[in-house]
Amino acid sequence: MKKQNKSMIAMMHRLVNSCGKYKASIRAAYIPGFFKGMCMKAPQMLSFLLVSGFMAGTMTKQTCLIYGAVLLGCVILQAILQNVSDRLQSAAGFKVFADKRMQLGDHFRKLSMGYFTDGNIGKVSSVLATDMNFIEENCMMVLEELVGFMISQGLMIGFMFYLGWQLGLVATACLALIILIGNLTTRKSISHSIMKQECSERLTSSVLEFAEGIGIIKTFNLLGEKSKEVNKSFEKSCEESIRFEMAYAPWWASLMISYGVGTALVLLVAGILASKGMITTEYLMGMILFLFDVFAGIKAYYGSIARLTVTDACLDRIESVFDEAEISNDGTKKLPAAGASSARDVPEISYKNVTFAYGNKNALTDISFDVQRGQMIALVGPSGGGKTTIANLLARFWDVKQGSIKIRGTDIRDVPVSDLMNNISMVFQRVYLFQDTVFNNIAMGKTDATREEVIEVAKKARCYDFIMQLPNGFDTVIGEGGADLSGGEQQRLSIARCMLKDAPIVILDEATASVDADNERFIQEAISELCRGKTLIVIAHRLNTIRNASKILVVENGKIAESGTHTELMAFGGLYKNMVDRQSLS
């Protein structure tokens, strides 16, 4: 079925199927919805019986009391049924999306880093903050209501036939016309809902980009220009909303007119039948009681079009994120422990003919090298040459296209990601700290760490002194991204986090590249503590920091251009020597 031809029933069915283990509970809500729909129409039917009884002179006090008791019972029963339905359906809706958010978080954990660097942050934010919230708060309770509306509409048509088969046929014909126009309205709403959600995603991306880059924007005095770009995004969103309303309004107006025309036709036919004596005055009065409620069920049903079509578009976007391919995590092998006898005769880390591309752009070509346990390997070279990519592939932020990467003789793709990451610590040049206490930010390296362990690594990472100067020491809540701390202080906290993890392999994207001289000494001391007895891969920017490396790999244009110790490469007189000479002159 093409999306534009999707019916409301199909959208309801899709929404229920997306609820997984909770769909049985949601479908169970149809039962109280069915009886609630009957109770909704009970007052009109009882009113008809009362009017008929009074006009026929057969009404007694006892009959009035019975009708009153039945009416009261219907009202009470309707409230009870609504409560049961809410418990089965609305409560299940919140549970569904609580689980969905957890599943999405787990899914994000298994995606390659490429997904987050390819401009998908706006989509991720929209799915979490907009799409799931919309369905959760606006649509889960609609399902039972729609069932009730369909039931009540069926009862109304049935009652028209009871009053007179001619009235029933006219009402049925009008209902068919309303359904035809309603389905056309649904198609129009679906096509524009997709565009509206895409526009919302672009708007979210634009606002996030503006917020994240506000510092650079202010520095280069681009606040006005970038504000214009965000304003344009808001204007496009507004234009799309207006375009939707302009396209949708005629169909919605036609639907409203069809209700009025249908009601007028039923009244006209009833008047003709009464004038010819084909229906009694009592039945005419009963029909008039029902007149403006004849198509109330279908009217309410199609009144939910906008919510259901937006929900359908939301589900598309949620499913598109879940459909993103995860990095394979079906490995069953276990890495030998660092220093284990089975791992002594093989390199700690081994790259063999590794080739990798970002999309169609080749980033690495035929990279091969070994790292022995306890060695320090430095990756140097021009920016964009592939140094960071080499390091990131070891942590499986992406998977290699060709070749293999092994740790202690085991291909990292054959190992569960959790086991792999237990063996690797990474210190990034750009540090991220969470809006949480200092203690919890450090304890991420070992979630069951004691306070004494955290304090000990804080001292080794040269950050204990500045932590104790904070208002609440280790219990001080720092701003998101570490906004309350200097760059050097943030870097030392990240090193403390890695020290607590105590992984045998450390990847270091040189942490001193963008800090002042005062902090550099503390950070170098912290790094020395971190790397003691570890196997180390350093992405080096300041070449004087890697003179004592076991091996230096010069990476250029995705290939290893030179390899050797500092002394060997200086004697060779190639690219590395030129880089050292340039830094010495600067």
Side-chain angles (χ1 to χ4, degrees), residues 26-82:
I26 290 170
R27 282 175 174 154
Y30 294 168
I31 298 171
F34 174 85
F35 290 106
K36 191 185 82 171
M38 297 181 68
C39 290
M40 286 168 61
K41 295 307 171 188
Q44 289 99 320
M45 295 179 179
L46 287 171
S47 298
F48 167 71
L49 294 174
L50 279 167
V51 169
S52 298
F54 278 116
M55 293 184 70
T58 59
M59 187 59 61
T60 64
K61 181 179 179 180
Q62 185 179 4
T63 306
C64 284
L65 290 173
I66 292 171
Y67 283 171
V70 172
L71 182 59
L72 179 62
C74 287
V75 172
I76 294 172
L77 184 58
Q78 188 175 336
I80 293 171
L81 292 169
Q82 182 67 61

Short mmCIF file of all heavy atoms in Angstrom, two decimals, residues 26-82:
data_model
loop_
_atom_site.label_atom_id
_atom_site.label_comp_id
_atom_site.label_asym_id
_atom_site.label_seq_id
_atom_site.Cartn_x
_atom_site.Cartn_y
_atom_site.Cartn_z
N ILE A 26 -3.12 -2.69 24.75
CA ILE A 26 -3.77 -1.60 24.02
C ILE A 26 -5.00 -2.12 23.27
O ILE A 26 -6.05 -1.48 23.25
CB ILE A 26 -2.77 -0.94 23.06
CG1 ILE A 26 -1.72 -0.17 23.90
CG2 ILE A 26 -3.45 -0.01 22.08
CD1 ILE A 26 -0.55 0.33 23.11
N ARG A 27 -4.88 -3.31 22.69
CA ARG A 27 -6.04 -3.88 21.99
C ARG A 27 -7.14 -4.27 22.96
O ARG A 27 -8.32 -4.21 22.62
CB ARG A 27 -5.59 -5.09 21.17
CG ARG A 27 -4.88 -4.70 19.87
CD ARG A 27 -4.35 -5.89 19.13
NE ARG A 27 -3.80 -5.48 17.83
CZ ARG A 27 -2.86 -6.15 17.18
NH1 ARG A 27 -2.36 -7.26 17.70
NH2 ARG A 27 -2.43 -5.72 16.02
N ALA A 28 -6.74 -4.67 24.17
CA ALA A 28 -7.74 -5.01 25.18
C ALA A 28 -8.60 -3.79 25.53
O ALA A 28 -9.75 -3.93 25.94
CB ALA A 28 -7.06 -5.55 26.43
N ALA A 29 -8.03 -2.58 25.34
CA ALA A 29 -8.78 -1.36 25.63
C ALA A 29 -9.93 -1.15 24.65
O ALA A 29 -10.83 -0.35 24.90
CB ALA A 29 -7.84 -0.15 25.58
N TYR A 30 -9.91 -1.87 23.52
CA TYR A 30 -11.03 -1.76 22.56
C TYR A 30 -12.33 -2.27 23.17
O TYR A 30 -13.42 -1.82 22.79
CB TYR A 30 -10.73 -2.57 21.29
CG TYR A 30 -9.58 -2.05 20.47
CD1 TYR A 30 -9.04 -2.83 19.44
CD2 TYR A 30 -9.03 -0.80 20.71
CE1 TYR A 30 -7.98 -2.37 18.67
CE2 TYR A 30 -7.97 -0.33 19.94
CZ TYR A 30 -7.45 -1.13 18.92
OH TYR A 30 -6.41 -0.67 18.17
N ILE A 31 -12.23 -3.24 24.09
CA ILE A 31 -13.44 -3.84 24.68
C ILE A 31 -14.19 -2.80 25.51
O ILE A 31 -15.39 -2.56 25.26
CB ILE A 31 -13.10 -5.09 25.50
CG1 ILE A 31 -12.47 -6.15 24.57
CG2 ILE A 31 -14.34 -5.63 26.21
CD1 ILE A 31 -11.91 -7.35 25.31
N PRO A 32 -13.55 -2.15 26.50
CA PRO A 32 -14.28 -1.09 27.20
C PRO A 32 -14.65 0.05 26.27
O PRO A 32 -15.66 0.72 26.46
CB PRO A 32 -13.29 -0.63 28.29
CG PRO A 32 -11.96 -1.13 27.87
CD PRO A 32 -12.21 -2.38 27.11
N GLY A 33 -13.82 0.26 25.20
CA GLY A 33 -14.16 1.29 24.22
C GLY A 33 -15.45 0.99 23.49
O GLY A 33 -16.25 1.89 23.22
N PHE A 34 -15.66 -0.29 23.19
CA PHE A 34 -16.89 -0.72 22.51
C PHE A 34 -18.11 -0.41 23.39
O PHE A 34 -19.08 0.20 22.93
CB PHE A 34 -16.80 -2.22 22.22
CG PHE A 34 -18.06 -2.81 21.66
CD1 PHE A 34 -18.33 -2.77 20.31
CD2 PHE A 34 -18.99 -3.43 22.50
CE1 PHE A 34 -19.50 -3.32 19.80
CE2 PHE A 34 -20.16 -3.99 22.01
CZ PHE A 34 -20.41 -3.92 20.64
N PHE A 35 -18.04 -0.83 24.65
CA PHE A 35 -19.19 -0.62 25.54
C PHE A 35 -19.35 0.86 25.91
O PHE A 35 -20.46 1.33 26.12
CB PHE A 35 -19.04 -1.48 26.80
CG PHE A 35 -19.21 -2.95 26.53
CD1 PHE A 35 -18.12 -3.81 26.53
CD2 PHE A 35 -20.46 -3.48 26.24
CE1 PHE A 35 -18.28 -5.17 26.27
CE2 PHE A 35 -20.64 -4.83 25.99
CZ PHE A 35 -19.54 -5.67 26.00
N LYS A 36 -18.25 1.58 25.97
CA LYS A 36 -18.34 3.01 26.23
C LYS A 36 -19.06 3.71 25.08
O LYS A 36 -19.87 4.63 25.29
CB LYS A 36 -16.95 3.62 26.43
CG LYS A 36 -16.98 5.05 26.97
CD LYS A 36 -15.61 5.68 27.04
CE LYS A 36 -15.20 6.20 25.68
NZ LYS A 36 -13.98 7.01 25.72
N GLY A 37 -18.78 3.24 23.84
CA GLY A 37 -19.47 3.81 22.68
C GLY A 37 -20.97 3.60 22.76
O GLY A 37 -21.76 4.48 22.37
N MET A 38 -21.38 2.44 23.27
CA MET A 38 -22.81 2.19 23.44
C MET A 38 -23.40 3.08 24.53
O MET A 38 -24.50 3.64 24.38
CB MET A 38 -23.04 0.71 23.79
CG MET A 38 -22.59 -0.25 22.68
SD MET A 38 -22.88 -1.98 23.09
CE MET A 38 -24.66 -2.05 23.06
N CYS A 39 -22.66 3.23 25.62
CA CYS A 39 -23.14 4.08 26.72
C CYS A 39 -23.26 5.54 26.29
O CYS A 39 -24.11 6.28 26.79
CB CYS A 39 -22.20 3.98 27.92
SG CYS A 39 -22.26 2.38 28.77
N MET A 40 -22.38 5.97 25.36
CA MET A 40 -22.41 7.36 24.90
C MET A 40 -23.74 7.69 24.22
O MET A 40 -24.22 8.84 24.28
CB MET A 40 -21.25 7.61 23.92
CG MET A 40 -19.87 7.70 24.58
SD MET A 40 -18.51 7.64 23.39
CE MET A 40 -18.85 9.09 22.40
N LYS A 41 -24.34 6.70 23.57
CA LYS A 41 -25.59 6.94 22.84
C LYS A 41 -26.83 6.56 23.65
O LYS A 41 -27.96 6.81 23.21
CB LYS A 41 -25.59 6.15 21.51
CG LYS A 41 -24.51 6.63 20.54
CD LYS A 41 -24.60 8.12 20.31
CE LYS A 41 -23.44 8.67 19.52
NZ LYS A 41 -23.45 10.14 19.48
N ALA A 42 -26.63 5.97 24.80
CA ALA A 42 -27.78 5.57 25.62
C ALA A 42 -28.69 6.74 26.01
O ALA A 42 -29.92 6.61 25.96
CB ALA A 42 -27.30 4.83 26.87
N PRO A 43 -28.14 7.93 26.38
CA PRO A 43 -29.04 9.04 26.76
C PRO A 43 -30.00 9.44 25.65
O PRO A 43 -31.19 9.68 25.92
CB PRO A 43 -28.06 10.17 27.09
CG PRO A 43 -26.82 9.47 27.53
CD PRO A 43 -26.74 8.26 26.67
N GLN A 44 -29.51 9.49 24.37
CA GLN A 44 -30.41 9.86 23.27
C GLN A 44 -31.50 8.81 23.08
O GLN A 44 -32.67 9.16 22.84
CB GLN A 44 -29.63 10.03 21.97
CG GLN A 44 -28.75 11.28 21.93
CD GLN A 44 -27.30 10.95 22.25
OE1 GLN A 44 -27.02 10.13 23.13
NE2 GLN A 44 -26.39 11.61 21.55
N MET A 45 -31.11 7.55 23.17
CA MET A 45 -32.10 6.49 22.96
C MET A 45 -33.15 6.49 24.08
O MET A 45 -34.35 6.30 23.83
CB MET A 45 -31.40 5.13 22.87
CG MET A 45 -30.50 5.02 21.64
SD MET A 45 -29.65 3.44 21.53
CE MET A 45 -28.74 3.66 20.00
N LEU A 46 -32.69 6.72 25.29
CA LEU A 46 -33.63 6.79 26.42
C LEU A 46 -34.54 8.01 26.27
O LEU A 46 -35.73 7.95 26.60
CB LEU A 46 -32.87 6.85 27.74
CG LEU A 46 -32.20 5.54 28.19
CD1 LEU A 46 -31.30 5.79 29.39
CD2 LEU A 46 -33.26 4.50 28.55
N SER A 47 -33.97 9.11 25.75
CA SER A 47 -34.78 10.32 25.52
C SER A 47 -35.88 10.03 24.51
O SER A 47 -37.03 10.48 24.66
CB SER A 47 -33.89 11.46 25.02
OG SER A 47 -32.92 11.80 25.98
N PHE A 48 -35.54 9.27 23.48
CA PHE A 48 -36.54 8.91 22.46
C PHE A 48 -37.67 8.09 23.09
O PHE A 48 -38.86 8.33 22.84
CB PHE A 48 -35.88 8.12 21.34
CG PHE A 48 -36.86 7.46 20.42
CD1 PHE A 48 -37.64 8.20 19.54
CD2 PHE A 48 -37.03 6.07 20.45
CE1 PHE A 48 -38.56 7.57 18.70
CE2 PHE A 48 -37.94 5.45 19.62
CZ PHE A 48 -38.71 6.20 18.73
N LEU A 49 -37.28 7.12 23.93
CA LEU A 49 -38.30 6.29 24.57
C LEU A 49 -39.18 7.11 25.52
O LEU A 49 -40.40 6.89 25.60
CB LEU A 49 -37.63 5.14 25.32
CG LEU A 49 -36.88 4.10 24.47
CD1 LEU A 49 -36.14 3.11 25.35
CD2 LEU A 49 -37.84 3.38 23.53
N LEU A 50 -38.58 8.06 26.22
CA LEU A 50 -39.34 8.93 27.11
C LEU A 50 -40.34 9.78 26.34
O LEU A 50 -41.52 9.89 26.69
CB LEU A 50 -38.38 9.83 27.92
CG LEU A 50 -37.72 9.20 29.14
CD1 LEU A 50 -36.58 10.09 29.65
CD2 LEU A 50 -38.75 9.00 30.26
N VAL A 51 -39.86 10.41 25.25
CA VAL A 51 -40.75 11.27 24.44
C VAL A 51 -41.87 10.43 23.85
O VAL A 51 -43.05 10.83 23.86
CB VAL A 51 -39.94 11.96 23.32
CG1 VAL A 51 -40.87 12.63 22.33
CG2 VAL A 51 -38.98 12.98 23.92
N SER A 52 -41.51 9.25 23.35
CA SER A 52 -42.54 8.37 22.76
C SER A 52 -43.57 7.98 23.81
O SER A 52 -44.79 7.97 23.55
CB SER A 52 -41.88 7.11 22.18
OG SER A 52 -41.00 7.45 21.15
N GLY A 53 -43.11 7.67 25.02
CA GLY A 53 -44.02 7.27 26.09
C GLY A 53 -44.95 8.40 26.50
O GLY A 53 -46.16 8.19 26.70
N PHE A 54 -44.38 9.62 26.63
CA PHE A 54 -45.21 10.76 27.01
C PHE A 54 -46.24 11.08 25.92
O PHE A 54 -47.42 11.36 26.20
CB PHE A 54 -44.35 11.99 27.28
CG PHE A 54 -43.76 12.00 28.67
CD1 PHE A 54 -42.38 11.93 28.86
CD2 PHE A 54 -44.58 12.07 29.79
CE1 PHE A 54 -41.85 11.93 30.14
CE2 PHE A 54 -44.05 12.07 31.08
CZ PHE A 54 -42.68 12.00 31.25
N MET A 55 -45.79 11.04 24.64
CA MET A 55 -46.71 11.37 23.55
C MET A 55 -47.80 10.31 23.41
O MET A 55 -48.93 10.61 23.01
CB MET A 55 -45.94 11.53 22.24
CG MET A 55 -45.01 12.74 22.24
SD MET A 55 -44.19 12.98 20.65
CE MET A 55 -45.58 13.49 19.65
N ALA A 56 -47.48 9.06 23.74
CA ALA A 56 -48.46 7.98 23.64
C ALA A 56 -49.31 7.87 24.91
O ALA A 56 -50.27 7.10 24.95
CB ALA A 56 -47.76 6.65 23.38
N GLY A 57 -48.92 8.63 25.96
CA GLY A 57 -49.67 8.60 27.21
C GLY A 57 -49.47 7.35 28.01
O GLY A 57 -50.30 7.00 28.85
N THR A 58 -48.38 6.64 27.78
CA THR A 58 -48.14 5.37 28.48
C THR A 58 -47.08 5.50 29.57
O THR A 58 -46.74 4.52 30.23
CB THR A 58 -47.68 4.29 27.48
OG1 THR A 58 -46.48 4.75 26.83
CG2 THR A 58 -48.75 4.03 26.44
N MET A 59 -46.55 6.70 29.76
CA MET A 59 -45.46 6.88 30.71
C MET A 59 -46.00 6.91 32.15
O MET A 59 -47.00 7.58 32.43
CB MET A 59 -44.71 8.19 30.41
CG MET A 59 -43.46 8.38 31.24
SD MET A 59 -42.24 7.05 31.02
CE MET A 59 -41.92 7.22 29.26
N THR A 60 -45.35 6.16 33.02
CA THR A 60 -45.73 6.13 34.44
C THR A 60 -44.54 6.58 35.28
O THR A 60 -43.41 6.66 34.81
CB THR A 60 -46.14 4.72 34.86
OG1 THR A 60 -44.99 3.86 34.74
CG2 THR A 60 -47.28 4.19 34.00
N LYS A 61 -44.86 6.86 36.57
CA LYS A 61 -43.81 7.27 37.48
C LYS A 61 -42.74 6.20 37.61
O LYS A 61 -41.53 6.49 37.62
CB LYS A 61 -44.42 7.58 38.84
CG LYS A 61 -43.41 8.06 39.87
CD LYS A 61 -44.10 8.36 41.20
CE LYS A 61 -43.08 8.82 42.24
NZ LYS A 61 -43.73 9.13 43.54
N GLN A 62 -43.19 4.96 37.68
CA GLN A 62 -42.25 3.85 37.82
C GLN A 62 -41.33 3.75 36.60
O GLN A 62 -40.14 3.53 36.73
CB GLN A 62 -43.01 2.54 38.01
CG GLN A 62 -42.10 1.35 38.28
CD GLN A 62 -42.89 0.06 38.49
OE1 GLN A 62 -44.12 0.05 38.36
NE2 GLN A 62 -42.20 -1.01 38.83
N THR A 63 -41.93 3.95 35.40
CA THR A 63 -41.14 3.88 34.17
C THR A 63 -40.11 5.00 34.14
O THR A 63 -38.94 4.80 33.74
CB THR A 63 -42.05 3.99 32.94
OG1 THR A 63 -43.08 3.00 33.03
CG2 THR A 63 -41.26 3.77 31.66
N CYS A 64 -40.51 6.19 34.59
CA CYS A 64 -39.58 7.33 34.64
C CYS A 64 -38.41 7.02 35.56
O CYS A 64 -37.24 7.33 35.24
CB CYS A 64 -40.30 8.58 35.12
SG CYS A 64 -41.36 9.33 33.86
N LEU A 65 -38.72 6.42 36.72
CA LEU A 65 -37.66 6.08 37.66
C LEU A 65 -36.71 5.03 37.07
O LEU A 65 -35.50 5.11 37.27
CB LEU A 65 -38.27 5.56 38.96
CG LEU A 65 -38.99 6.61 39.83
CD1 LEU A 65 -39.69 5.94 41.01
CD2 LEU A 65 -37.99 7.66 40.34
N ILE A 66 -37.28 4.06 36.37
CA ILE A 66 -36.44 3.03 35.74
C ILE A 66 -35.51 3.66 34.71
O ILE A 66 -34.30 3.39 34.67
CB ILE A 66 -37.31 1.94 35.10
CG1 ILE A 66 -38.04 1.14 36.18
CG2 ILE A 66 -36.46 1.01 34.23
CD1 ILE A 66 -39.08 0.18 35.64
N TYR A 67 -36.09 4.54 33.84
CA TYR A 67 -35.28 5.20 32.82
C TYR A 67 -34.19 6.06 33.47
O TYR A 67 -33.05 6.11 33.00
CB TYR A 67 -36.15 6.05 31.91
CG TYR A 67 -36.94 5.27 30.88
CD1 TYR A 67 -37.92 5.87 30.11
CD2 TYR A 67 -36.69 3.91 30.68
CE1 TYR A 67 -38.64 5.17 29.16
CE2 TYR A 67 -37.41 3.19 29.75
CZ TYR A 67 -38.39 3.82 28.99
OH TYR A 67 -39.10 3.11 28.06
N GLY A 68 -34.56 6.75 34.54
CA GLY A 68 -33.58 7.58 35.24
C GLY A 68 -32.45 6.76 35.83
O GLY A 68 -31.27 7.15 35.76
N ALA A 69 -32.80 5.61 36.41
CA ALA A 69 -31.79 4.72 36.98
C ALA A 69 -30.86 4.18 35.89
O ALA A 69 -29.64 4.10 36.07
CB ALA A 69 -32.46 3.58 37.73
N VAL A 70 -31.48 3.80 34.74
CA VAL A 70 -30.67 3.30 33.62
C VAL A 70 -29.72 4.38 33.12
O VAL A 70 -28.54 4.13 32.83
CB VAL A 70 -31.58 2.79 32.48
CG1 VAL A 70 -30.73 2.46 31.24
CG2 VAL A 70 -32.37 1.57 32.92
N LEU A 71 -30.25 5.63 33.01
CA LEU A 71 -29.43 6.75 32.55
C LEU A 71 -28.25 6.99 33.50
O LEU A 71 -27.11 7.16 33.06
CB LEU A 71 -30.28 8.01 32.43
CG LEU A 71 -29.58 9.27 31.92
CD1 LEU A 71 -29.01 9.04 30.53
CD2 LEU A 71 -30.55 10.45 31.91
N LEU A 72 -28.53 6.99 34.81
CA LEU A 72 -27.48 7.18 35.80
C LEU A 72 -26.45 6.05 35.72
O LEU A 72 -25.23 6.27 35.79
CB LEU A 72 -28.08 7.24 37.20
CG LEU A 72 -27.09 7.41 38.37
CD1 LEU A 72 -26.32 8.72 38.23
CD2 LEU A 72 -27.82 7.35 39.70
N GLY A 73 -26.94 4.83 35.53
CA GLY A 73 -26.05 3.68 35.41
C GLY A 73 -25.13 3.80 34.20
O GLY A 73 -23.94 3.46 34.27
N CYS A 74 -25.70 4.30 33.10
CA CYS A 74 -24.88 4.48 31.88
C CYS A 74 -23.78 5.50 32.10
O CYS A 74 -22.64 5.32 31.64
CB CYS A 74 -25.77 4.90 30.71
SG CYS A 74 -26.81 3.57 30.06
N VAL A 75 -24.12 6.59 32.80
CA VAL A 75 -23.11 7.63 33.07
C VAL A 75 -22.00 7.08 33.95
O VAL A 75 -20.80 7.29 33.68
CB VAL A 75 -23.77 8.86 33.74
CG1 VAL A 75 -22.70 9.85 34.20
CG2 VAL A 75 -24.75 9.53 32.78
N ILE A 76 -22.39 6.35 35.01
CA ILE A 76 -21.39 5.76 35.92
C ILE A 76 -20.55 4.72 35.19
O ILE A 76 -19.32 4.68 35.31
CB ILE A 76 -22.08 5.14 37.15
CG1 ILE A 76 -22.75 6.23 37.99
CG2 ILE A 76 -21.09 4.34 37.98
CD1 ILE A 76 -23.62 5.71 39.12
N LEU A 77 -21.24 3.87 34.39
CA LEU A 77 -20.54 2.83 33.64
C LEU A 77 -19.56 3.43 32.64
O LEU A 77 -18.45 2.92 32.45
CB LEU A 77 -21.56 1.93 32.94
CG LEU A 77 -20.99 0.72 32.18
CD1 LEU A 77 -20.20 -0.18 33.12
CD2 LEU A 77 -22.11 -0.05 31.50
N GLN A 78 -19.97 4.53 32.00
CA GLN A 78 -19.09 5.19 31.03
C GLN A 78 -17.81 5.69 31.72
O GLN A 78 -16.72 5.55 31.17
CB GLN A 78 -19.83 6.36 30.37
CG GLN A 78 -19.06 6.99 29.21
CD GLN A 78 -19.88 8.06 28.51
OE1 GLN A 78 -21.10 8.04 28.56
NE2 GLN A 78 -19.21 8.98 27.86
N ALA A 79 -17.95 6.25 32.92
CA ALA A 79 -16.78 6.73 33.67
C ALA A 79 -15.86 5.57 34.04
O ALA A 79 -14.63 5.66 33.95
CB ALA A 79 -17.23 7.48 34.91
N ILE A 80 -16.48 4.44 34.46
CA ILE A 80 -15.69 3.27 34.84
C ILE A 80 -14.94 2.71 33.63
O ILE A 80 -13.75 2.39 33.70
CB ILE A 80 -16.59 2.19 35.47
CG1 ILE A 80 -17.15 2.68 36.81
CG2 ILE A 80 -15.83 0.87 35.65
CD1 ILE A 80 -18.22 1.77 37.40
N LEU A 81 -15.68 2.61 32.51
CA LEU A 81 -15.07 2.08 31.29
C LEU A 81 -13.93 2.99 30.81
O LEU A 81 -12.91 2.50 30.31
CB LEU A 81 -16.13 1.94 30.20
CG LEU A 81 -17.18 0.85 30.44
CD1 LEU A 81 -18.33 0.98 29.44
CD2 LEU A 81 -16.55 -0.54 30.35
N GLN A 82 -14.10 4.30 30.95
CA GLN A 82 -13.04 5.24 30.56
C GLN A 82 -11.80 5.02 31.42
O GLN A 82 -10.67 5.04 30.92
CB GLN A 82 -13.54 6.69 30.72
CG GLN A 82 -12.52 7.75 30.28
CD GLN A 82 -12.27 7.69 28.79
OE1 GLN A 82 -13.17 7.87 27.99
NE2 GLN A 82 -11.01 7.43 28.42
#
